[in-house]
Amino acid sequence: MHARIFSSKINRTKSTLEASIEWHTMPSALLQKKIIATHLASFLDLYRDYSEKQLGLKPGLSKEAWLTKMIEEELEEIKQGKLYLATISLEDNIAGFIVCAPVKARHKEEKMKDNDLKTDVYISLLAIKPFRYFRSQDKIHIGLGQQLVDSVESRFTGANMITLDTRLINKPAMSFYERLGFNSTGKRTLGGSNPDYYTGYEKFVMRQV
């Protein structure tokens, strides 16, 4: 799994739109098409000012082909039950999604009473469609990213922490996660291609006893 993360600022006061979140165990063919379209819209917009070389892509591999292959691989793992998918919709239209999975705890000192290691939840992918003001290039931020992250914490109630990786050039995502209480680990959480292009983030989940 590779982490590709982008999300929105928290600004609910400027929006009256009703957002709904749904978890999917077996996404339909239609939903998969919508997920692919949302992924491409989000990340082609995010990386529009970066060349394939700056993104560390192999020679001859376009950003669109790279992103399409990336999300198709994630969808296949979702159908196999290896990853979990949640979508967020505005007026019945997919506006974003999150992909995650329970993983082995990063910090071994965090143990349960039966001495089994607690699990973490790894956010593999978070994508939000770019929304812009009418006749403007300024993006509209309505808190969809935070709602998706919150939904992960609510679903995986036994998790010790939430972890993720994001590209070093993705400054908006890094700022977003830091606002939500994530701390940088200074190194990539999970392995994968081009590890030098990523940094990890983690957030301990505080539970009421």
Side-chain angles (χ1 to χ4, degrees):
M1 294 181 293
H2 312 297
R4 287 83 50 185
I5 299 143
F6 178 66
S7 49
S8 59
K9 282 185 178 179
I10 305 165
N11 196 353
R12 293 190 179 89
T13 59
K14 293 186 178 181
S15 173
T16 58
L17 296 174
E18 291 288 334
S20 60
I21 293 176
E22 182 178 359
W23 287 87
H24 309 268
T25 55
M26 186 57 69
S28 66
L30 178 58
L31 179 58
Q32 290 180 61
K33 289 182 179 179
K34 291 181 179 180
I35 291 295
I36 292 172
T38 300
H39 184 260
L40 288 174
S42 175
F43 288 98
L44 286 175
D45 179 76
L46 176 63
Y47 294 132
R48 61 181 175 176
D49 295 329
Y50 296 93
S51 67
E52 284 77 4
K53 183 177 180 180
Q54 287 174 307
L55 293 171
L57 304 187
K58 295 179 180 179
L61 181 63
S62 69
K63 284 184 279 188
E64 184 167 315
W66 166 60
L67 291 167
T68 300
K69 183 175 184 294
M70 177 193 301
I71 187 57
E72 288 177 343
E73 289 176 348
E74 297 257 323
L75 285 168
E76 187 58 36
E77 290 196 64
I78 291 166
K79 289 186 287 183
Q80 294 173 8
K82 297 178 181 179
L83 296 174
Y84 295 82
L85 166 70
T87 56
I88 189 165
S89 300
L90 294 174
E91 299 179 348
D92 297 325
N93 294 313
I94 300 296
F97 64 90
I98 195 166
V99 180
C100 62
V103 295
K104 185 177 179 180
R106 281 175 48 79
H107 297 276
K108 294 181 179 181
E109 66 274 13
E110 295 295 332
K111 296 185 178 183
M112 301 173 71
K113 291 181 180 179
D114 58 2
N115 291 326
D116 289 334
L117 291 176
K118 285 186 178 181
T119 58
D120 295 340
V121 177
Y122 180 78
I123 296 177
S124 177
L125 177 59
L126 172 57
I128 301 296
K129 273 185 179 179
F131 295 93
R132 288 186 165 81
Y133 289 103
F134 182 62
R135 294 180 180 177
S136 171
Q137 291 301 309
D138 296 332
K139 288 184 180 179
I140 301 172
H141 301 293
I142 54 177
L144 301 183
Q146 180 180 1
Q147 291 180 62
L148 284 169
V149 174
D150 289 346
S151 73
V152 171
E153 186 171 334
S154 297
R155 184 176 179 85
F156 298 93
T157 56
N160 174 56
M161 66 165 49
I162 300 174
T163 67
L164 59 98
D165 294 297
T166 187
R167 281 182 169 262
L168 291 167
I169 62 174
N170 193 350
K171 303 303 182 184
M174 295 168 72
S175 297
F176 166 75
Y177 284 107
E178 288 167 6
R179 287 197 303 274
L180 294 189
F182 284 79
N183 295 308
S184 175
T185 65
K187 59 183 179 180
R188 188 163 187 172
T189 303
L190 294 183
S193 60
N194 299 323
D196 291 340
Y197 289 86
Y198 294 85
T199 186
Y201 276 86
E202 61 183 21
K203 175 186 178 182
F204 280 96
V205 179
M206 303 300 294
R207 306 289 182 190
Q208 292 184 350
V209 180

